[in-house]
Amino acid sequence: MKVYLETYGCQMNEYDSELIRSILAPHGHEMTAAVEEAEVVLINTCAIRENAHRKIYGRLDMLRPLKKEKKRFVVGVLGCMAQNLKEELFDHPVVSLIVGPDSYRSLPKLIDEVIGTDRQEIEAYLSEYETYGDIAPTRVEGVNAWVAIMRGCDNFCTFCVVPYTRGRERSRSIENILSEVRSLAQKGYRQVTLLGQNVNSYRDEGKRFADLILKVADVPGIERVRFTSPHPKDFPKPLLEAIASHPRICKHIHLPLQAGSDRILDLMARTYTRKEYLRLVEEIRRTIPEIALTTDIIVGFPTETEEDFQETAGLFKDGQFDSAYIFKYSERKGTIASRKYPDDVPPEVKTDRIVRLIDLQRAISLQKNREKIGRTLTVLIDGEADGPGKGAATSKRPGHQMGKTEGNTTVVFPRTPFGPGTMVSVRIHDVSSSTLYGRPVER
Ligand code: SAH
Ligand code: SF4
Ligand code: F3S
């Protein structure tokens, strides 16, 4: 059958879609990029915020005409929204298959059961063991490969749906991960990004994340190792030392803060205080002076006052992040916050706060980028700067290539004779808040 697969959400979902391709391939299913051609449409969904849900419903609506037109046509909802809403999704007339993140091995069987019939099938059990460790993902060619090192999350931050959609935390074995990374290096991938909801709770028979990342960084052929995300509550010293000491571990840490007010952090059950977070930032900067720090923030969590918000803004000034992903709080069904704290910050207040915080961060990012003018940075080439879906509109420039610094900032420069996956030195001469512009130089 011809299968069209579309992916929403985070890198973990991208990775899962690669697993799904591998699960379907031995059953003779062929992937297609044209939805009109497909007999099976699979949508790998996200549930993290309400707009993620809305986007999927919009997409399902667009599939109605195809469903009417075709005799053999299955639409399956996979991923976090499938796990979160379960049978509720059958209320949408095009959906006949619902499969949660731990049930992908059953996909071929389930597709066979529903295709050409009026049947509906759902499989959405969460597993304590499933890591898909034996399945080699079918990746799209590129420079970077995502590698899930663990699945699930046990943190239960009160706002977050992930522990319910992804289930209990479980780690893959170091050996299993290393053999995947070795084969990636052989296939020509130059960068791996290790994925987990909280990589600092990675465990394999007494070995922890720092042990794993050092081994991954030693795999010949891999030039850069990244990871996302560590939880600030249990950031281990050995990991800092690993990042500081290993030339192939990128000097970049994504350290989700969520809020700068202790009262809100407590309601969120993040289990660290503003002071502890700032102390950690200081320690990181002391150990790795060139580190790039990025973060995630939620504005408008229940009961957040202007004073609370000002504490977040103040922490932005003190913390000097290189960049930040800022979200408006979105109540998620089933979470602790949805049961205990009414979503009482008005939408216009959330909008006002997010706009102010984005403006503040933009100014900080611009300032930090300006400090890079005149410096020569090592850049891993991603591809053409005007390629489809590459980076922000500001970085689309014909005749130019783009790549990433170690700190994960986009750099745009005139085309070199080198292809994606090559490291080049680029001297920076101009910047915006999100992009650096430069010229390749000989070292
Ligand atoms: N495990 C990761 C986070 C994954 S979700 C970590 O802890 O770092 C990515 C980000 O989405 C979170 O860091 C948070 O900022 C945001 N997010 C999660 N739930 C949200 C909600 N209910 N409303 C708004 N933003 C949310
Ligand atoms: Fe969600 Fe918190 Fe787990 Fe991250 S650590 S996935 S924010 S519950
Ligand atoms: Fe990722 Fe969205 Fe699920 S962020 S873990 S796809 S809820």
Side-chain angles (χ1 to χ4, degrees), residues 398-410:
H400 286 61
Q401 284 177 305
M402 65 198 296
K404 287 274 168 43
T405 65
E406 233 190 287
N408 213 25
T409 308
T410 300

Side-chain angles (χ1 to χ4, degrees), residues 194-209:
L194 305 178
L195 300 177
Q197 298 300 347
N198 175 16
V199 296
N200 288 344
S201 48
Y202 177 85
R203 257 166 242 273
D204 178 30
E205 293 177 1
K207 294 276 194 293
R208 305 300 307 262
F209 183 61

Side-chain angles (χ1 to χ4, degrees), residues 139 147 174-190 192 215-216 218-222:
R139 294 180 162 89
V147 177
I174 292 198
E175 253 334 295
N176 195 243
I177 295 165
L178 282 178
S179 77
E180 182 172 345
V181 174
R182 283 188 211 109
S183 91
L184 287 170
Q186 271 164 12
K187 287 185 187 127
Y189 290 92
R190 289 294 159 255
V192 294
K215 289 209 165 98
V216 169
D218 277 340
V219 171
I222 297 296

Side-chain angles (χ1 to χ4, degrees), residues 5 40 44 75 85 90 94 122 128 138 167 194 201 205 225 275 291 301 318 321 330 345 390 407 439:
L5 172 63
V40 181
N44 192 3
V75 176
L85 299 185
F90 285 139
V94 307
I122 174 165
E128 284 178 35
T138 308
L194 305 178
S201 48
E205 293 177 1
V225 181
K275 211 164 157 189
I291 198 81
F301 187 82
D318 295 342
F321 298 111
S330 168
V345 177
K390 292 259 180 69
R439 275 182 210 97

Side-chain angles (χ1 to χ4, degrees), residues 107-365:
L107 261 174
K109 172 181 73 95
L110 293 168
I111 291 172
D112 284 346
E113 281 171 13
V114 290
I115 190 90
T117 73
D118 292 331
R119 286 176 61 180
Q120 295 179 325
E121 287 292 334
I122 174 165
E123 194 171 318
Y125 309 109
L126 288 169
S127 156
E128 284 178 35
Y129 309 102
E130 181 63 272
T131 62
Y132 300 107
D134 57 316
I135 298 175
T138 308
R139 294 180 162 89
V140 215
E141 264 176 53
V143 174
N144 175 72
W146 310 112
V147 177
I149 60 162
M150 55 204 297
R151 298 178 72 88
C153 183
D154 285 349
N155 280 319
F156 291 93
C157 303
T158 59
F159 53 79
C160 185
V161 77
V162 172
Y164 308 93
T165 65
R166 293 266 166 184
R168 298 289 56 76
E169 195 174 274
R170 57 220 110 114
S171 299
R172 273 173 76 186
S173 77
I174 292 198
E175 253 334 295
N176 195 243
I177 295 165
L178 282 178
S179 77
E180 182 172 345
V181 174
R182 283 188 211 109
S183 91
L184 287 170
Q186 271 164 12
K187 287 185 187 127
Y189 290 92
R190 289 294 159 255
Q191 172 175 291
V192 294
T193 305
L194 305 178
L195 300 177
Q197 298 300 347
N198 175 16
V199 296
N200 288 344
S201 48
Y202 177 85
R203 257 166 242 273
D204 178 30
E205 293 177 1
K207 294 276 194 293
R208 305 300 307 262
F209 183 61
D211 304 304
L212 170 70
I213 197 169
L214 283 169
K215 289 209 165 98
V216 169
D218 277 340
V219 171
I222 297 296
E223 305 271 3
R224 280 183 172 178
V225 181
R226 299 185 183 279
F227 63 98
T228 194
S229 307
H231 194 297
K233 73 171 174 186
D234 52 7
F235 205 103
K237 266 207 172 57
L239 178 57
L240 276 190
E241 283 154 14
I243 302 168
S245 67
H246 203 298
R248 288 193 288 280
I249 303 179
C250 287
K251 310 284 175 271
H252 169 215
I253 299 176
H254 183 66
L255 195 64
L257 164 66
Q258 311 302 358
S261 136
D262 283 343
R263 194 179 66 80
I264 298 295
L265 283 171
D266 187 45
L267 294 180
M268 288 176 162
R270 291 291 289 181
T271 69
Y272 51 85
T273 62
R274 163 197 186 83
K275 211 164 157 189
E276 282 162 351
Y277 185 93
L278 276 171
R279 215 181 290 138
L280 175 59
V281 168
E282 245 169 59
E283 188 190 352
I284 293 173
R285 291 239 157 86
R286 207 171 340 110
T287 319
I288 318 162
E290 69 274 36
I291 198 81
L293 276 181
T294 57
T295 198
D296 286 349
I297 297 290
I298 297 174
V299 296
F301 187 82
T303 76
E304 186 187 70
T305 61
E306 177 62 22
E307 288 70 40
D308 293 318
F309 171 74
Q310 284 305 330
E311 295 221 49
T312 305
L315 210 152
F316 267 42
K317 290 175 195 150
D318 295 342
Q320 292 285 307
F321 298 111
D322 289 76
S323 72
Y325 297 93
I326 307 171
F327 310 104
K328 293 185 215 176
Y329 173 69
S330 168
E331 185 176 276
R332 308 318 293 136
K333 203 180 85 186
T335 57
I336 299 162
S338 76
R339 276 177 272 137
K340 283 172 72 176
Y341 317 121
D343 184 7
D344 60 359
V345 177
E348 60 280 10
V349 174
K350 288 180 185 168
T351 302
D352 174 62
R353 287 181 191 161
I354 197 172
V355 167
R356 282 190 284 158
L357 206 53
I358 288 173
D359 279 351
L360 172 60
Q361 182 53 44
R362 214 171 263 152
I364 295 171
S365 299

